[in-house]
Amino acid sequence: MPTLTRRIAGSLATTLLLSLPALPALAQDSPHRFVMVTHGVPSDPFWTVVKNGAEAAADEIGAELEYRAPSTFDMAKMQQLAEAAVASDPDGLILSFTDEDALGKVVREATDNGIPVITINSGGDLSKQYGALLHVGQSEYEAGQRAAEKMQEMGVEKGLCVNHEQGNQGLDQRCEGFISGFDGNADQLATSHDPTEIRNAIVAYLNQHRDIDGILTLGSLTADPMIQAMQDQGATDQFVLGTFDLSPIILEAVDAGELDFAIDQQQYLQGYLPVIFLEQYAEHGLMPAGDVATGPAFVTQDNAAQVIELSKQGIR
């Protein structure tokens, strides 16, 4: 290209660039800080997945997320953590609403001070009374009923619901729905978190109640010891076995046919979605018009392998 032509072309290009409107700045990280307080104990893999979902959402939007939970199932400690979260004046609070008496006033205090609250996992039928904007989870009572229906379809006549956190209103509702689904022809066995105690309690109860032919646990903390007890007794084929929630051991047992089903409430979404919703609310005042149901769904031997792959990624 001749020198004069190059100069003209360069001059035109410069003029064109200067005449264009300024390009928008690259998207900035969110300035918002959200706090999630749950009752999930560190030993429960269910809550690790919830936390993974929340952290993934915060990373995507560049928001600050603080995750807080007691070291054991302790509603007084959880209440203290929630109160401290409200006092820190976050841009949003995410809370597993496990106990109305302990947490209702905390939600009310938050909303009275202009802090939007989304509840997850437990208490969706109660939290709106205290000002929560939304609940992300499942109807625990309905899920318990569906577990009973599933077992009856498999021939169970009398069921047993093993509750490792009596007083947790979400878990209590699961057992209530299960017993209701059997028209009252089901029992509830209260245990602690201790695996040895759980195994011994289940074996002792079954020895005393020979008419039980279906067993439902409410999470991996009881499902894992229950599976071990059945394996030790060589009794996995003598009962229909089901559980709420997922863990690597649960999924392997379902895949192997040692556990008949697991009820999936997609806990990753219970962590992920509230962070996204609160960000949209802070930025644009947007919020879904109704609660978001993440379950219940059933994992059986037919689809366990697919779910196992996602579990390895910390998503299921």
Side-chain angles (χ1 to χ4, degrees):
M1 179 185 295
T3 302
L4 180 58
T5 304
R6 287 201 302 268
R7 288 177 180 172
I8 293 173
S11 177
L12 288 172
T14 301
T15 302
L16 179 61
L17 287 171
L18 291 174
S19 67
L20 290 173
L23 293 173
L26 293 175
Q28 300 294 312
D29 284 348
S30 166
H32 303 121
R33 179 177 66 89
F34 307 122
V35 181
M36 174 179 281
V37 182
T38 80
H39 65 280
V41 298
S43 59
D44 190 340
F46 176 93
W47 290 100
T48 301
V49 177
V50 175
K51 184 180 178 184
N52 288 347
E55 290 176 342
D59 287 345
E60 285 182 14
I61 61 178
E64 180 182 353
L65 175 74
E66 298 175 16
Y67 180 90
R68 306 175 183 179
S71 57
T72 61
F73 180 70
D74 184 334
M75 288 312 305
K77 180 63 176 176
M78 185 184 173
Q79 180 181 346
Q80 293 172 3
L81 293 173
E83 290 171 343
V86 172
S88 73
D89 194 27
D91 295 295
L93 175 64
I94 304 163
L95 188 69
S96 61
F97 197 72
T98 49
D99 188 307
E100 181 182 10
D101 293 335
L103 300 175
K105 58 186 177 183
V106 180
V107 175
R108 177 61 66 194
E109 180 183 358
T111 57
D112 286 348
N113 284 279
I115 301 170
V117 179
I118 292 178
T119 57
I120 64 171
N121 187 257
S122 298
D125 54 336
L126 298 170
S127 61
K128 281 192 176 180
Q129 300 175 20
Y130 298 91
L133 295 174
L134 187 73
H135 182 77
V136 179
Q138 69 181 359
S139 168
E140 304 293 4
Y141 187 87
E142 177 189 346
Q145 287 183 316
R146 290 188 60 184
E149 292 169 4
K150 185 80 168 177
M151 284 196 173
Q152 289 173 71
E153 290 171 3
M154 303 175 74
V156 174
E157 295 184 0
K158 184 167 184 179
L160 174 66
C161 183
V162 184
N163 189 342
H164 59 283
E165 287 177 359
Q166 253 192 339
N168 176 336
Q169 61 192 12
L171 299 194
D172 292 346
Q173 288 170 356
R174 290 176 179 181
C175 276
E176 290 166 6
F178 182 72
I179 293 170
S180 171
F182 273 99
D183 293 326
N185 195 33
D187 297 340
Q188 180 174 182
L189 171 64
T191 70
S192 70
H193 286 175
D194 181 74
T196 301
E197 179 185 328
I198 293 167
R199 287 198 301 270
N200 293 342
I202 291 173
V203 171
Y205 196 91
L206 294 177
N207 284 334
Q208 296 170 10
H209 300 81
R210 299 285 183 172
D211 54 345
I212 298 290
D213 54 354
I215 307 171
L216 178 72
T217 58
L218 303 184
S220 62
L221 289 178
T222 40
D224 296 353
M226 183 265 288
I227 294 167
Q228 186 63 57
M230 295 298 102
Q231 291 172 339
D232 292 345
Q233 299 293 318
T236 53
D237 294 333
Q238 298 178 27
F239 301 91
V240 171
L241 306 175
T243 189
F244 276 81
D245 303 333
L246 307 180
S247 74
I249 292 177
I250 286 172
L251 289 171
E252 290 168 7
V254 173
D255 192 43
E258 296 178 328
L259 188 64
D260 293 288
F261 64 83
I263 298 175
D264 179 20
Q265 58 176 305
Q266 301 182 105
Q267 70 266 35
Y268 185 89
L269 291 180
Q270 293 180 16
Y272 181 89
L273 291 177
V275 176
I276 299 298
F277 291 157
L278 285 175
E279 175 67 16
Q280 288 298 309
Y281 190 75
E283 285 291 314
H284 309 297
L286 299 175
M287 183 65 60
D291 293 345
V292 178
T294 62
F298 286 91
V299 176
T300 65
Q301 195 170 22
D302 293 336
N303 61 347
Q306 177 189 18
V307 180
I308 285 172
E309 290 305 311
L310 293 172
S311 176
K312 292 176 181 177
Q313 302 172 40
I315 297 174
R316 298 294 289 273

